[in-house]
Structures are given as structure tokens and as C-alpha cells.
């Protein structure tokens, strides 16, 4: 108990003394765990939303679709309704393939001929307005949202205007833009929305415009899970019937989020990696101070366990707090990310137990990987040496030192600072490479040809692409933000560690400008290597997670991105470097001598 | 001013409000070229601050500092850096060598910062290390050298650009007797060669090697004594630095 109190007090005092560092750790781990939790939570979320919509709308277990015209179609579908496995049905009804215009947008639409009063199967849930009536149209909610149409607006289907009397959701089709299920004549379908007209209006629409029609029937089975057995048992020898099971629709729904999960999970790994580099930079910068703390604790009789607890608990506690914040953020953001189409209703469950375990592992890994080494070093250091607070002695690099002798003063100082702490340079290079991986992936996504849903000059955005691009942009922005914080931290740590050397350089005639440029150069040299590695790695990562043929972004874009990252690094290092270079020389040297 | 170093009405205050302390209090000083000046006094009397003011490491609150006919206290940071690069060499009690550089690399650094070629810097470093008796230690890191050897490297570094003046702050403060003798011999050689030296020290043995001794107390000069002016001075003779 006594030890716990000591650890608590020491940790609290240290956090108070290093608030900026604590804030940085919190920020880094929060965004990493939030992205990770979101990515993991998306697993199965589409299916869950489909199930909730299915329950709320009495969704069919199987939809039978007969694309060919002919007198045998209706009897064939009616015979399916009489099958012993079927307990209820809706239809047969017409699905008319048409074109809909709403304002400036033109889209393909399937028009379902609906009963004025829905039956036991497929009872679309009207979320706004009312159900169909003669001369009026009801639009599927995801489709209406994409068109920007509300109840009371007018839409034109094949040249005839219909007032929108209602907006509804259904589980009988997949989400917008996959409402068609099958295309005209049973072929593949384009991105299509769903509208309901009355049966007579749908019939008139098809007949008046000579439009292709599929006849459909919704079926409710005695055993909803036995859909495949039903499909296998009811292949008709002469009439072509395509069956869409509820499982198929649930899987089709999940396609919308197929790329979201890798974006978030891979993004969270990169964020976690940046968190490790940033926190490791902080921990390394405080190595001398931690060593002194360990020495003091040893001197008053503390054992290795207590010392390790004091040194590790701070980072661990902050990481776990950040993880909790990350989970809350993930919970708040999940509804918007899990359902981009508005075609489904229901609540998302939030991070599950397995997700919490995984994010905890990530948070502990960030804290552990970044602090274990300095902690072990502090524990191993002899008490008297530790009391001196001496950080690890920098290494001698004769070749780099000789090489730097050929360079102008700022590059000479920069290269020697880089050589002084090569581990720090590796962290900076990794941080830059990670940022460029995300930026190049974002550029690659934008380089792909646009596949919009609209027809002709109409521009209905591709929801999946838009969703993926937004997610990738958000992850990239977070990565850039963390990398920026890392660059600031690394520069400041380098400047703090090298403050005596830089003060000595000033006494030897280095100007503040040269010292400032040297500190910036010390970050820019590894950043340059990181940029060179990051561009091909970004292309590779994009290729790894993209299906089919991809278009590589133009080389000029990637070079510009790398240059922009380097310029940003230079700008970010300028402030801490300038502050450090302006530090008065005499007090620094006097303090070191004391 | 004709002296190499000139100081008029020099004041340096530290702190703010009630905690304001006057470290250097209206000091006037002239140091002719080639003179070795020792500044003695108790801890906190302002000796080191005076040295920092002379070298442009700190700016005075009031007064003037002149070096080689040029007013120093009004120079920009960049101009001060150039001045230190060309005209001033520093030697510190704590040596302040760069731990990751060998002895030769430490000595080369000022020449490289002054824009000299690497070959020239290296040649100069070899000469200076030979001069301080460390030819065989050129490739050693500071951690592989004794305290006295480190201070000799620091002195060699201070001389890298042929400065007009060497400012030494407690140069023997961290050294044992044998190492102190080594350092004093080097100072004596410098003095003999006409190098202007300002040495802040607690150590009477060091002060004894000077041409002139200024005593400080509470930021002011309380005594200004010209020593024998021959060889190691009369005190230097007493402690056996003659011959």
C-alpha cells in the first residue's frame, strides 16, 4: 500500500511537471487507439445494421427474381409461394428499370410496383412522409439522401413528374446504390436507386415507355437460415429465376465498408507507430532525468521493482487513459462511419470486448516499446552514476565527422548532431516515411479514375469512393498532425540534449543562425531519407490493399508531396531550433559546470 | 582605447525586482596586448560574469566593452559570433569538450567553423596538440583522457584560430596538482609568446603566473596589482615555475 502511494505521488508530480509531454502522449495514443477501435468495430457492423432493418421491415428471407417476360413467369413464382418451406410472401410485383431525374442529378432507378398496403413480408419502414399512393413516389432513404430529395420535392421518372410523398427503408434490396439486385434481362446492374410507385403506376410506366421489367416475389421461409437449401431445391427447368437470399444482401451491404476497415486498421498501425516514435523521443530526451530519479530512489533504498514501477507507471497510466478516450471517440464516430448510405436503420453496438482487449494491447505496446529501454538502462546504471543524471554517452563516428568537416558550418553542425544520436535520426526518418506512406496512398486513391453513379453529365458521387477518401483523408490528417508533433518533439529533444555542445559551438564562433540551421538540418537529413523511402512504400502499401488494376499517381505528385513534407519539416524544426539557438550561452555552460 | 581589451563603467545585473543582483558593478579595466591578467576573488564575486562579458557571451546592463579598438557590447549576435571565431578563445573549468569527438576533432572544430579547409584545420590541430603535449592522444575521445589532458585539449582548441585573447575561467578548478602544473606551463609558454590571457581563478598558484592581478569583491575591483612582470612572476618563482 505504501509503495503504491509513493508511486502514485511520484507519477502525479512528474505528470504535473511535464504537462506538455503528457498531453503529447495522450494525443498520440488517443488517435491511434480510436482509429484501431473504429477499424475493428466495423467488422460485422453492416450485417448488424442489415439485421436491424430486416427485423423492422419484415424483410424477406429470399427474393425470387425472374428477368424474362412471358406467361410462365407468374405461375412459376406463385408456385414458389406455395412451397412448404414458405410461410408468407409478397408479390409477384414488377421491378421496372427506368431513369430518374431530380434537379441536376440523373440516375438509374428500379421502380417497385408496391401494394397500397404492404403485406406480411417486406413492409418498408416509412421514415418520412407516407406510403405510396396513386401518382406519388416513395424514394428509398439512401437514394433520396444521395439525390438531396425530400418529401414534397418532385422527381421525374422517364419524363413523368411524380411528387415525392414519402421516404422509406427496406431490407428487400441491398443498400443504395445496389438496389437493382439484377440488371435488365438478368444481366449485371449499374449503380441504381430504388423508388416505389403503386402497382398500376409501375405497370403504366413500364408499358408506356417500353421499359425492361423483372418480376419479383419476396418469400418468408419457415427456417430463415435454410435459404441455400431452398434455393437449391427450387431451380426451375424452363423459367429463369434468380434468388437473392438475405445473407447475400447482408454481405452486399458490407461491400460499402470493405476498404474502410483496412484504411482504419492499417492507419491505426501507422498512427501507433508514430505514437511509439514520438513517445520514444520524449522518453529518450528525459533519459538523463529518469536516470537521476532512479539513482535517487536507489540511494534511499528503493528496490528495482519500485523503481521500474515509478518509471513505467506514468507512461502506462497515460496510455491507458488515452485508450479510454480513444474508445469513447470511436464509439461517437462509429455511427457516421458505419452507415454512409442512410439505407439502413438501427444502432451500432460500439467497441466489443475483443476490441477493448486489442486497443489495450496497442496502448500498452506504445507505452512499453517507447519506455522499456530507457527504464531498463536507468535500472542498470550504478547509483552514483545515475545520481549524476548522465545520459548515455554519444557515439563517435569518425567517418561522418570527417565528412562533415568538408561541409559548411550549418551542415557540419547538423550532420554531427545526427551522428551524435543516430537512434533519434532513425525515429525522424521513420516518422517522415510513415507520413509519406499515407500521403502517397491518398494521392493514389485520388489518381484512380472517378466512377460516379450519375448518368451523362449528372454527377452523383460514388458513395464508397467518397467514404473511403474521407476516411483516408482523416487518417492522413491525423498522421500528419502526429508527425508534426513528433518533429517538434524530436527537434526539441535534440536541441535540449545538445544544448551544451551548441553553447560550446557558440563560444567557438558559431552564429545563432548556424546553430539554428544545424538543428534543423539534423532533422532534415533523416527526413530526406524517410521521404525517399516513404514514396515507394506508400505505392506498395496502396497496391497491397487495392483490388484489381490500379493507376499509379503521377511521379510529379509524389515528388511534390515529398518536397512538401520536407518543407513542412524544415518549417516545423525552425521554431524549436530558433528558440534553442537563442538560448543564452553563459548560463547553459555555467549550469553544466555546476 | 589603445589597450587590447578596454572596459568602461561595466555593469551586469541578474534577476528582476527584489532578487536583482549586481554581479559586476561599474568596473573599469584595460588590458594591454600580451599581458596576462589574473582575476581573483571569492565565489559569486562576479569574476566569471566579467569574463563572459569580455567574450561577448553575455551583454552588459550598462557600460562599454572594447576589443582591439572595436566596441563589442553593441554588436549583433552574428557579429559577436564572428568576433569570438576570430579573436577570442575560451577555456572552461568543466572543459566543455564534445564527448563524441576525438581530441583532434575537438581542436579542429573552431577552424572549420571559421571556414578553413579540413586539411588546414587538421594540420593546425596537429600542431596545437603537439604544443600541449598530446600528439599521442589525438584520436582519443575525451572520456579516454585524464582531466589534465582534457584541459590541455581545451586550451589547444582555444588557440585554434590564433585568437587575440584567451579567456580562461577557472582552468585548473577541476585538476589535481600535477595537471595544474601542466596547464600552468602551457599558460606560461603562451605568455612568453605574447598571447594576451585573462584568467579567472581561485587558485593563487595560477594567479602567480600572471603579469597583473585584479581582485574582485561584490562585483567591484578592490585591488589591482602589477606582479613582477618577469617569467612566472614572483609568486610563480616561489612555487617553482621558473626554469
Amino acid at each position: 500500500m505504501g509503495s503504491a502511494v509513493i508511486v502514485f505521488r511520484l507519477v502525479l508530480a512528474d505528470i504535473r511537471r511535464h504537462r506538455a509531454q503528457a498531453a503529447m502522449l495522450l494525443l498520440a495514443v488517443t488517435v491511434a487507439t480510436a482509429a484501431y477501435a473504429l477499424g475493428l468495430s466495423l467488422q460485422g457492423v453492416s450485417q448488424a445494421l442489415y439485421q436491424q432493418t430486416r427485423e423492422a421491415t419484415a424483410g424477406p428471407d429470399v427474393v425470387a427474381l425472374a428477368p424474362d417476360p412471358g406467361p410462365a413467369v407468374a405461375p412459376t413464382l406463385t408456385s414458389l409461394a406455395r412451397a412448404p418451406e414458405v410461410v408468407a410472401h409478397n408479390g409477384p410485383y414488377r421491378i421496372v428499370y427506368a431513369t430518374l431525374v431530380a434537379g441536376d442529378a440523373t440516375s438509374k432507378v428500379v421502380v417497385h410496383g408496391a401494394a397500397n398496403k404492404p403485406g406480411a413480408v417486406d413492409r418498408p419502414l416509412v421514415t418520412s412522409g407516407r406510403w405510396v399512393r396513386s401518382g406519388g413516389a416513395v424514394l428509398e432513404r439512401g437514394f433520396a439522401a444521395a439525390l438531396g430529395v425530400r418529401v414534397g420535392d418532385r422527381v421525374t421518372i422517364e419524363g413523368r413528374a411524380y411528387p415525392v410523398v414519402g421516404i422509406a427503408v427496406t431490407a428487400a434490396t441491398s443498400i443504395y446504390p445496389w438496389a437493382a439486385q439484377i440488371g435488365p434481362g438478368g444481366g449485371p446492374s449499374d449503380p441504381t436507386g430504388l423508388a416505389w410507385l403503386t402497382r398500376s403506376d409501375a405497370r403504366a410506366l413500364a408499358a408506356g415507355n417500353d421499359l425492361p421489367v423483372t418480376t419479383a416475389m419476396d418469400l418468408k421461409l419457415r427456417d430463415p437460415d435454410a435459404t441455400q437449401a431452398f434455393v437449391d431445391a427450387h431451380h426451375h427447368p424452363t423459367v429463369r429465376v434468380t434468388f437473392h437470399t438475405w445473407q447475400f444482401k447482408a454481405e452486399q451491404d458490407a461491400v460499402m465498408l470493405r476498404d474502410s476497415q483496412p484504411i482504419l486498421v492499417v492507419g491505426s498501425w501507422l498512427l501507433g507507430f508514430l505514437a511509439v516514435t514520438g513517445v520514444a523521443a520524449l522518453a529518450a530526451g528525459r533519459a538523463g532525468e529518469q536516470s537521476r530519479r532512479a539513482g535517487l530512489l536507489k540511494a534511499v533504498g528503493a528496490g528495482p521493482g519500485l523503481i521500474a514501477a515509478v518509471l513505467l507507471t506514468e507512461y502506462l497510466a497515460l496510455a491507458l487513459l488515452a485508450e479510454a478516450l480513444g474508445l469513447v471517440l470511436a464509439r461517437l464516430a462509429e455511427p457516421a462511419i458505419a452507415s454512409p448510405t442512410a439505407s439502413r436503420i438501427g444502432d451500432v453496438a460500439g467497441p466489443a470486448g475483443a476490441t477493448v482487449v486489442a486497443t489495450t494491447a496497442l496502448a500498452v505496446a506504445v507505452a512499453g516499446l517507447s519506455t522499456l529501454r530507457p527504464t531498463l538502462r536507468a535500472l542498470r546504471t550504478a547509483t552514483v552514476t545515475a545520481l549524476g543524471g548522465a545520459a548515455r554517452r554519444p557515439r563517435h563516428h569518425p567517418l561522418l565527422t570527417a565528412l562533415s568537416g568538408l561541409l559548411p558550418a550549418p551542415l557540419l553542425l547538423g550532420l554531427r548532431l545526427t551522428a551524435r544520436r543516430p537512434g533519434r535520426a532513425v525515429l525522424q526518418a521513420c516518422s517522415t516515411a510513415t507520413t509519406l506512406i499515407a500521403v502517397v496512398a491518398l494521392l493514389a486513391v485520388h489518381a484512380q479514375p472517378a466512377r460516379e453513379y450519375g448518368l451523362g453529365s449528372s454527377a452523383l458521387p460514388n458513395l464508397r469512393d467518397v467514404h473511403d477518401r474521407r476516411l483516408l483523408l482523416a487518417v492522413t490528417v491525423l498522421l500528419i498532425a502526429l508527425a508534426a508533433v513528433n518533429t517538434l518533439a524530436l527537434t526539441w529533444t535534440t536541441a535540449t540534449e545538445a544544448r551544451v555542445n551548441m553553447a560550446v559551438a557558440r563560444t567557438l564562433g558559431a552564429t545563432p543562425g548556424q546553430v539554428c540551421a544545424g538543428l534543423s538540418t539534423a532533422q532534415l537529413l533523416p527526413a530526406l531519407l524517410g521521404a525517399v523511402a516513404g514514396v515507394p512504400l506508400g505505392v506498395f502499401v496502396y497496391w497491397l490493399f487495392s483490388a484489381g488494376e490500379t493507376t499509379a499517381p503521377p511521379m510529379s505528385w509524389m515528388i511534390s508531396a515529398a518536397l512538401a513534407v520536407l518543407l513542412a519539416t524544415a518549417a516545423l524544426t525552425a521554431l524549436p531550433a530558433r528558440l534553442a539557438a537563442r538560448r543564452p550561452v553563459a548560463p547553459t555552460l555555467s549550469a553544466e559546470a555546476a | 582605447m589603445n589597450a587590447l581589451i578596454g572596459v568602461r563603467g561595466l555593469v551586469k545585473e541578474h534577476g528582476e525586482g527584489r532578487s536583482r543582483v549586481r554581479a559586476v558593478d561599474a568596473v573599469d579595466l584595460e588590458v594591454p596586448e600580451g599581458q596576462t591578467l589574473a582575476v581573483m576573488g571569492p565565489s559569486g564575486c562576479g569574476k566569471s560574469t566579467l569574463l563572459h562579458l569580455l567574450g561577448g557571451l553575455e551583454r552588459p546592463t550598462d557600460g562599454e566593452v572594447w576589443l582591439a579598438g572595436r566596441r563589442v557590447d553593441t554588436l549583433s549576435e552574428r557579429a559577436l559570433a564572428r568576433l569570438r571565431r576570430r579573436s577570442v578563445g575560451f577555456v572552461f573549468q568543466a572543459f566543455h569538450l564534445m564527448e563524441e569527438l576525438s581530441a583532434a576533432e575537438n581542436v579542429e572544430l573552431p577552424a572549420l567553423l571559421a571556414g578553413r579547409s579540413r586539411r588546414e584545420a587538421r594540420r593546425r590541430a596537429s600542431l596545437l596538440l603537439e604544443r600541449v603535449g598530446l600528439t599521442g592522444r589525438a584520436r582519443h575521445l575525451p572520456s579516454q583522457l585524464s582531466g589534465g589532458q582534457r584541459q590541455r585539449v581545451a586550451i589547444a582548441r582555444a588557440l585554434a584560430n590564433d585568437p587575440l585573447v584567451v579567456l580562461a575561467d577557472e582552468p585548473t578548478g577541476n585538476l589535481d596538482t600535477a595537471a595544474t602544473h601542466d596547464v600552468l606551463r602551457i599558460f606560461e609558454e603562451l605568455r612568453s609568446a605574447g598571447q594576451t590571457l585573462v584568467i579567472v581563478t581561485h587558485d593563487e598558484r595560477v594567479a602567480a603566473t600572471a603579469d597583473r592581478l585584479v581582485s574582485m569583491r561584490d562585483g567591484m575591483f578592490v585591488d589591482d596589482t602589477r606582479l613582477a612582470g618577469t617569467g612566472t612572476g614572483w609568486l610563480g618563482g616561489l612555487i617553482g615555475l621558473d626554469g
Side-chain angles (χ1 to χ4, degrees), chain A residues 393-399 401-407 409 412-413 416-417 420 500-514 582 584-590 592-593, chain B residues 48 52 57-58 77-82 84-85 88-90 92-102 105-106 108-110 112-114 116-118 122 139 141 143 157-158 161 174:
Chain A
R393 198 185 298 284
R395 292 179 193 161
H396 181 220
H397 295 275
L399 275 176
T401 305
L403 176 67
S404 66
L406 304 170
L407 303 172
L412 178 148
L413 292 172
R416 288 190 178 184
L417 281 170
R420 197 168 185 267
V500 177
N501 271 12
M502 291 301 102
V504 172
R506 293 277 309 280
T507 68
L508 300 178
T511 64
Q514 287 173 331
R582 299 273 160 189
V585 175
T588 304
L589 294 178
S590 302
E592 188 65 17
Chain B
S48 293
H52 294 156
L57 295 182
E58 287 188 80
E77 281 298 322
R78 184 191 289 254
L80 276 175
R82 272 199 297 269
R84 284 196 290 269
R85 201 182 295 164
V88 183
F90 283 96
F92 299 100
Q93 178 180 357
F95 322 129
H96 289 316
L97 298 176
M98 296 197 183
E99 291 292 320
E100 69 274 24
L101 300 183
S102 68
E105 289 162 351
N106 266 289
E108 283 171 28
L109 187 56
L112 292 173
L113 288 174
R116 294 192 189 177
S117 71
R118 192 171 160 272
R122 177 137 287 196
R139 289 171 183 271
L141 292 173
S143 56
R157 183 180 64 183
N161 287 333
N174 281 355

Side-chain angles (χ1 to χ4, degrees), chain A residues 228-247:
Chain A
Q228 194 54 50
F230 177 83
V231 169
D232 292 341
H234 292 280
H235 278 297
H236 200 278
T238 54
V239 176
R240 188 158 54 120
V241 178
T242 302
F243 295 99
H244 274 203
T245 64
W246 69 264
Q247 292 95 335

Side-chain angles (χ1 to χ4, degrees), chain A residues 86-128:
Chain A
V86 177
V87 293
H89 71 278
N90 170 46
Y93 58 90
R94 281 184 179 75
I95 297 177
V96 184
Y97 298 90
T99 302
L100 179 147
V101 178
D104 295 334
T106 306
S107 171
K108 291 194 172 180
V109 64
V110 285
V111 176
H112 286 198
N116 289 344
K117 193 173 178 190
V121 184
D122 186 23
R123 302 171 62 87
L125 180 73
V126 178
T127 57
S128 177

Side-chain angles (χ1 to χ4, degrees), chain A residues 66 68-82 91-93 215-217 239:
Chain A
D68 299 320
V73 169
T76 302
L77 293 178
T78 308
S79 71
L80 285 175
R82 286 198 295 269
Y93 58 90
T215 309
M217 176 172 275
V239 176

Side-chain angles (χ1 to χ4, degrees), chain A residues 471-556:
Chain A
L471 273 186
L472 190 54
L473 179 65
V475 169
T476 307
V477 166
L478 287 175
L479 281 165
I480 290 171
L482 269 197
V485 173
N486 280 0
T487 300
L488 288 170
L490 282 162
T491 310
W492 187 247
T493 304
T494 304
T496 305
E497 281 193 348
R499 64 188 182 283
V500 177
N501 271 12
M502 291 301 102
V504 172
R506 293 277 309 280
T507 68
L508 300 178
T511 64
Q514 287 173 331
V515 170
C516 177
L519 283 166
S520 285
T521 305
Q523 308 311 315
L524 275 172
L525 290 175
L528 181 64
L529 293 178
V532 169
V535 169
L537 278 174
V539 173
F540 176 70
V541 167
Y542 180 76
W543 171 80
L544 204 62
F545 287 95
S546 56
E549 270 190 31
T550 57
T551 306
M555 188 55 78
S556 59

